[in-house]
Amino acid sequence: STTSGPNEANNRAAVDVLCGRYAGSNVVNQEAWYVSLRAHCPVTCGCAMDPSKDCPRSCRHGANSVAMDPCLSGLCPPGAVLNATLKSGSRTCGSIDGAIRNSSEGATCEAQ
């Protein structure tokens, strides 16, 4: 059916809310108290248009950008220097950095 009815409007509003947007808009609700689906559904949720904190980092580079492995850089962003001898609890920053670089838990690294 090509006609738009109340159910379709309700469905669109539900998608907006699940994506962390104000219903009926593409504007991100920065004050939402819940975790949205933006990290899991970046295309549907419009992360290329408005890359909020919930969106994967690759969305900051616009539509059709290729996601990079967020664990690849370890503890430090590219260009930063790691003091591998510092400790966090019983582990050195070097050992933590190595564990992150070798991790396959991209979602965990993305959240960091």
Side-chain angles (χ1 to χ4, degrees), residues 55-69:
C55 293
R57 292 179 192 171
S58 59
C59 292
R60 295 178 192 150
H61 303 292
N64 301 317
S65 31
V66 177
M68 295 188 310
D69 182 355

Side-chain angles (χ1 to χ4, degrees), residues 57 67-78 97-106 109-110:
R57 292 179 192 171
M68 295 188 310
D69 182 355
C71 299
L72 194 59
S73 65
L75 284 175
C76 297
D97 183 68
I100 291 173
R101 288 175 187 270
N102 293 314
S103 175
S104 61
E105 297 293 324
C109 295
E110 185 78 52

Side-chain angles (χ1 to χ4, degrees), residues 22-99:
Y22 290 106
S25 77
N26 62 1
V27 178
V28 175
N29 179 358
Q30 298 290 346
E31 298 167 1
W33 51 267
Y34 56 90
V35 176
S36 75
L37 293 177
R38 293 177 73 77
H40 303 288
C41 307
V43 174
T44 299
C45 292
C47 283
M49 288 178 28
D50 190 351
S52 71
K53 63 180 172 56
D54 294 338
C55 293
R57 292 179 192 171
S58 59
C59 292
R60 295 178 192 150
H61 303 292
N64 301 317
S65 31
V66 177
M68 295 188 310
D69 182 355
C71 299
L72 194 59
S73 65
L75 284 175
C76 297
V81 177
L82 173 71
N83 182 343
T85 61
L86 290 177
K87 289 192 170 219
S88 176
S90 62
R91 297 179 65 194
T92 66
C93 290
S95 71
I96 296 169
D97 183 68

